[in-house]
Structure formats: C-alpha cells, structure tokens
Amino acid sequence: MVKVWRVVIVGCHPTSMLGTKLILEEGGELQVEGMYSTWGECVSIVRETRPNLVLSDYQMPEGTVEQVLPEMKKSSQSSHFIIMTEENDKELFQPLIELGASGVLSKGASPDQLIQMIGGIREGFLSIPLEWIERGFRPVTSSRGLDGMMQLTQTEMFIMERIVQGITYDKIAQEIEVSRRSIDNYLRKIYVKLEVSTRAQAIEKFALFSRQNKQLYA
C-alpha cells in the first residue's frame, strides 16, 4: 500500500491553492492538510506538523522564500519543498536547492508535470526540465561562502551556532564572558568573512554550511 503524503500549500491566491489541492488529492496518494497565506503561518505549521511535502510560492507579500526556507528545512529535515515560480526560471534552481528545496517548478507547468515531479521526489529523484538542459543548463555543486566559513575562529563559530539556535546577543555575551559591544565587533568580522551584510544572510549561509558539513561526515 502506498503511503499517503501529508502536504502543506503556501500561496498568495486562495482560489489557486484550492485548485492545486484538488489536483494533488485526485490520485489518493497526497493529502493536503492545510493552505496558508503568510510565511509566519507556514514556518509555524512546518515546525509543528513536519509534513512530507510543502508546495510553496516563491514570492509572498512579506518577501521571497529564501528568507524562511533554511529555517523550515532545519526544523523539519525530512520535509520536501517544491518552490513554484512565476516563470520557468532556471537561475533560481541552484540557490533554492542549496537552501533545502527538493524541486523548482513554474506556475505555468501542467498538473501532470507537478504530479510527475512529486512522484520523482517520492522515489528519491530530482527533476529538471529538459528545456533547461537543451539550453545548456548544468547544475553544479556550489562552494559559495564556504571559504569564508572556514576562516571563522572557534569563538566566531560558537557565536553563530548560538545565534542560529535563537539565543540573544546578551546571553551569548554572558556565556563567553565578554561585553555586549564585543559581540557586535565579532559579528562585524563574521559578516566580512561570510561576505554578507545582515544577520539573516549570515544565519542562512551558516545553516547551509552546517547542513552540508553534516551530510559530508554522515
């Protein structure tokens, strides 16, 4: 008997999400447990229920999926994420895969293409549109930012680990017995090494490195 996958849909348009729900549930192998219209709702439900599949719009009113994908993947590593884009944009494929997505598909794709992609993921395969291959697209393994990650000192690594865990700067300062201002100085150095300019970008890159490192030594 085929296991029924629990699915969460995240999108801007309720009517579109309802149509997608009907498509997914037609074969009986997918069950949509909820439809959500904000990143906050999505992050919370993924953390709480750990669905097998999250089908998400790339762009939401609050911003793009890059802002929340690392956090969702970290909170539910077994979940698969398919990101739906406005166009068949191969430029988004590599960055989204690095952040934890299992597939990227245009909103203009047919229902059969969506079901086939999900079927492939269920079997452990990643699907790429043949049109991309015909146009010379070749996915590559990226080491972007990893050189900078290796330059972090033990203290800087500890600080980033605690930040990813949600620990406040004041608490981190107490743990390593430095002033709050020293934490700001450490962060400036970390941002330079990681080639980022914001806390969110630093967390995203550090989380990516940690996941790749864990897979390498698993």
Side-chain angles (χ1 to χ4, degrees):
M1 182 177 179
V2 178
K3 177 184 177 182
V4 176
W5 263 23
R6 297 177 295 108
V7 183
V8 165
I9 301 176
V10 188
C12 303
H13 307 292
T15 301
S16 177
M17 287 194 290
L18 179 58
T20 301
K21 178 180 185 295
L22 295 175
I23 291 170
L24 295 181
E25 293 185 336
E26 185 175 358
E29 297 180 0
L30 303 168
Q31 178 181 339
V32 177
E33 296 194 332
M35 299 182 292
Y36 304 91
S37 57
T38 69
W39 289 137
E41 292 175 315
C42 181
V43 170
S44 178
I45 201 66
V46 168
R47 184 189 306 115
E48 293 173 5
T49 67
R50 299 185 179 183
N52 301 106
L53 175 66
V54 178
L55 186 63
S56 171
D57 278 2
Y58 172 75
Q59 180 76 50
M60 296 282 279
E62 308 100 307
T64 65
V65 74
E66 285 103 336
Q67 299 172 243
V68 296
L69 183 53
E71 179 181 353
M72 290 193 292
K73 188 63 178 179
K74 180 182 178 182
S75 66
S76 182
Q77 296 186 8
S78 62
S79 295
H80 293 279
F81 297 83
I82 292 180
I83 311 303
M84 306 297 292
T85 63
E86 290 294 342
E87 299 178 0
N88 206 6
D89 192 349
K90 61 181 181 293
E91 301 303 323
L92 292 174
F93 179 84
Q94 189 73 34
L96 291 175
I97 294 299
E98 289 181 4
L99 293 178
S102 297
V104 180
L105 192 64
S106 167
K107 289 184 179 181
S110 69
D112 284 344
Q113 288 174 319
L114 175 58
I115 295 300
Q116 286 172 8
M117 175 171 283
I118 295 172
I121 291 172
R122 287 180 67 115
E123 296 297 327
F125 292 94
L126 177 66
S127 300
I128 301 174
L130 287 176
E131 179 184 359
W132 294 4
I133 303 300
E134 292 168 355
R135 294 183 178 181
F137 174 72
R138 295 292 186 275
V140 297
T141 300
S142 172
S143 61
R144 180 184 56 188
L146 298 189
D147 290 342
M149 195 72 65
M150 300 305 295
Q151 297 174 22
L152 296 183
T153 66
Q154 287 187 337
T155 299
E156 290 166 347
M157 289 285 285
F158 176 81
I159 290 172
M160 282 306 306
E161 288 172 355
R162 300 299 275 163
I163 289 175
V164 169
Q165 293 168 5
I167 307 302
T168 66
Y169 294 163
D170 288 336
K171 177 64 174 176
I172 296 171
Q174 293 176 5
E175 290 178 342
I176 62 177
E177 299 181 346
V178 300
S179 67
R180 173 63 173 77
R181 180 173 295 181
S182 294
I183 297 298
D184 293 333
N185 293 332
Y186 275 118
L187 288 174
R188 279 194 288 270
K189 295 177 182 178
I190 290 171
Y191 290 177
V192 170
K193 292 178 180 180
L194 299 186
E195 299 180 355
V196 300
S197 58
T198 68
R199 179 177 181 274
Q201 291 171 345
I203 291 174
E204 175 183 310
K205 189 162 289 187
F206 189 85
L208 171 62
F209 169 80
S210 299
R211 184 170 67 250
Q212 290 181 339
N213 197 48
K214 181 185 292 185
Q215 292 172 346
L216 180 63
Y217 293 101

